């Protein structure tokens, strides 16, 4: 049975040769010849639809060059397809599309070459820049733009890629050598810092305080003039170095100003006397004369030797506590006079109630501060005696502020 594009012979279906190909068997008769021919015609129609679909996709898309390989694969499949129909128009359509795509690709590759040449010029201008951070970011941007730019002609591809990559490598090699040099220099610098810390230890242990102080001044000057090292390596050395020099200075200062001397019993009597007097002032209404006397007592206290007998510790705390009460009451008096112009015209009861309200407000702030200090003390447990002492002093100071205001509040409540 014959067909315009094939025939059936001995129950076998053949496609007539085209474009230089010989006749080729594409199948066998399964049921009857008519239905068999329709089956292979339908297969051809499917191939025709694929060609039309590809043509439509190429027309509708901007990146037309991306369809070239798909076109070639489809055309190759037509030459081997098991179907009955006129394949020549389909192949010619694909050939025309290929020519058009090649023209577009050629134009794009020429444009890509221009873009990549411009990127190479940008890179060339940056390759010896020593602003490492900013220039590294610029090279990252260049590489990203390079990647986004399409290919150039195959015969130029390797050469232009190598040109760009060699420039990029030149910059990053320079940067690597620079930081390797810094690391080597830092290793040398750290030895200088370690040596200065060792000298500070030796000076700290010297019995001659004046000699230790002179050495301390010299090595502190050398420290300032020493080279750069990473902060994380320098900081532990600085912590020890500064602590040692502070101790050396404190020892030297004590030799210059040892402070007044006093027999322990005499010192205890003076401490007790001044504490008792400031306590009495703390129980009286504030006045200009009272504040003047409190300041004079404090001046006398400052003239006492710094080191006091251990048995004076509680008395010293009492002196601090009652001194704080005197000056807190003076602050409260100044506050109410500044806030109320008619303060002196108010009754005693009105004045007391206003002061109570103000003290309660100040107390709430101090209690909040105390809670925060307590929380910080609990959260920041570190292996440092100095830090622990600092936190304890902070807690004690804030707690004393709370205790002072509570004391004043009781005084006001019983007025």
């Amino acid at each position: 049975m014959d067909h315009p594009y094939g025939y059936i012979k001995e129950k076998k279906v053949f496609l007539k040769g085209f474009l230089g190909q010989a006749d080729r068997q594409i199948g066998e008769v399964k049921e009857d010849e008519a239905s068999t021919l329709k089956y292979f015609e339908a297969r051809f129609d499917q191939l025709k639809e694929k060609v039309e679909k590809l043509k439509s996709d190429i027309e509708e898309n901007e990146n037309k060059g991306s369809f070239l390989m798909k076109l070639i694969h489809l055309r190759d499949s037509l030459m081997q397809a098991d179907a009955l129909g006129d394949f020549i128009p389909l192949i010619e359509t694909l050939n025309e599309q290929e020519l058009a795509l090649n023209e577009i690709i050629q134009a794009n590759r020429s444009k890509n070459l221009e873009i990549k040449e411009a990127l190479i010029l940008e890179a060339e201008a940056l390759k010896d820049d020593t602003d490492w951070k900013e220039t590294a970011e610029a090279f990252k941007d260049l590489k990203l733009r390079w990647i986004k730019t399409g290919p150039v002609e195959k015969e130029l591809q390797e050469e232009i890629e190598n040109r760009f990559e060699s420039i990029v490598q030149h910059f990053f090699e320079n940067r690597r050598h620079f930081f390797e040099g810094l690391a080597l220099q830092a290793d040398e610098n750290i030895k200088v810092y370690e040596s200065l810390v060792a000298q500070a230890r030796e000076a700290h242990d010297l019995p001659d305080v004046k000699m230790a102080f002179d050495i301390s001044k010299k090595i502190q000057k050398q420290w300032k003039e020493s080279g750069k090292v990473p902060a994380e390596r320098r900081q532990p050395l600085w912590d020890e170095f500064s602590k040692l020099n502070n101790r050396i200075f404190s020892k030297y200062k004590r030799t210059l100003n040892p402070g007044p001397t006093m027999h322990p019993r005499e010192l205890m009597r003076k401490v007790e006397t001044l504490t008792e007097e400031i306590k009495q002032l703390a129980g009286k209404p504030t006045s200009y004369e009272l504040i003047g006397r409190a300041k004079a007592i404090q001046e006398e206290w400052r003239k006492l030797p710094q080191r006091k007998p251990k048995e004076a510790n509680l008395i010293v705390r009492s002196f601090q506590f009652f001194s704080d009460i005197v000056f807190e009451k003076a602050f409260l008096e100044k506050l109410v006079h500044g806030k109320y112009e008619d303060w002196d015209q108010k009754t005693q009861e009105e004045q007391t109630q206003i002061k109570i309200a103000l003290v309660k407000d100040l107390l709430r702030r101090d209690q909040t501060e105390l809670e925060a200090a307590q929380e910080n003390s609990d959260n920041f447990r570190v292996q440092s005696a100095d830090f622990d002492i600092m936190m304890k002093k902070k807690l004690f100071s804030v707690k004393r502020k709370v205790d002072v205001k509570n004391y004043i509040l009781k005084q006001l409540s019983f007025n």
Side-chain angles (χ1 to χ4, degrees), residues 372-410:
Q374 183 64 60
E375 185 178 347
N376 288 338
S377 176
D378 294 338
N379 291 340
F380 295 99
R381 297 292 184 187
V382 294
Q383 299 298 319
S384 168
D386 290 344
F387 182 83
D388 191 47
I389 290 169
M390 181 191 74
M391 290 303 297
K392 284 181 179 177
K393 284 182 177 179
K394 172 69 174 176
L395 275 172
F396 180 77
S397 173
V398 179
K399 187 176 185 306
R400 195 169 74 228
K401 286 166 64 177
V402 170
D403 292 341
V404 164
K405 289 180 176 61
N406 276 321
Y407 188 93
I408 294 172
L409 204 55
K410 287 181 181 178

Side-chain angles (χ1 to χ4, degrees), residues 11-156:
K11 297 291 184 180
K12 294 178 181 178
V13 183
F14 290 86
L15 173 67
K16 291 178 181 178
F18 62 93
L19 298 177
Q21 293 193 115
D23 293 0
R24 177 169 59 84
Q25 182 185 338
I26 59 173
E28 297 178 351
V29 176
K30 297 296 183 182
E31 297 178 0
D32 58 73
E33 292 183 353
S35 62
T36 298
L37 292 175
K38 284 184 179 180
Y39 168 76
F40 285 105
E41 287 172 348
R43 285 175 64 88
F44 178 81
D45 290 337
Q46 291 173 359
L47 293 171
K48 189 176 179 180
E49 287 176 4
K50 283 187 177 181
V51 171
E52 291 300 323
K53 175 71 165 55
L54 178 59
K55 183 180 177 182
S56 174
D57 289 343
I58 292 170
E59 290 173 354
E60 293 173 3
N61 280 272
E62 290 185 12
N63 188 12
K64 301 182 187 301
S66 64
F67 291 96
L68 180 60
M69 291 310 298
K70 187 174 182 180
L71 183 149
I72 292 170
H73 291 317
L74 178 57
R75 186 176 57 195
D76 290 343
S77 70
L78 291 180
M79 301 298 290
Q80 303 298 323
D82 293 338
L84 286 173
D86 189 359
F87 282 91
I88 293 175
L90 300 185
I91 291 171
E92 287 177 347
T93 296
L94 293 179
N95 288 340
E96 290 170 4
Q97 290 294 315
E98 183 183 16
L99 285 173
L101 290 181
N102 281 328
E103 288 179 4
I104 292 170
I105 290 169
Q106 183 62 40
N108 285 342
R109 287 181 176 176
S110 296
K111 184 179 178 182
N112 293 340
L113 180 61
E114 290 178 12
I115 294 171
K116 289 193 170 182
E117 289 285 4
L119 292 174
I120 286 173
L121 288 175
E122 282 189 57
E124 188 72 38
L126 291 170
K127 72 176 184 179
D128 292 315
D129 200 315
T130 55
D131 187 345
W132 306 114
K133 184 176 180 181
E134 186 174 330
T135 310
E137 289 299 319
F139 266 102
K140 287 178 184 177
D141 176 64
L142 280 173
K143 290 179 77 172
L144 184 62
R145 286 152 61 195
W146 184 275
I147 292 167
K148 287 182 176 179
T149 304
V152 300
E153 291 294 338
K154 288 183 180 179
E155 60 269 22
L156 298 175

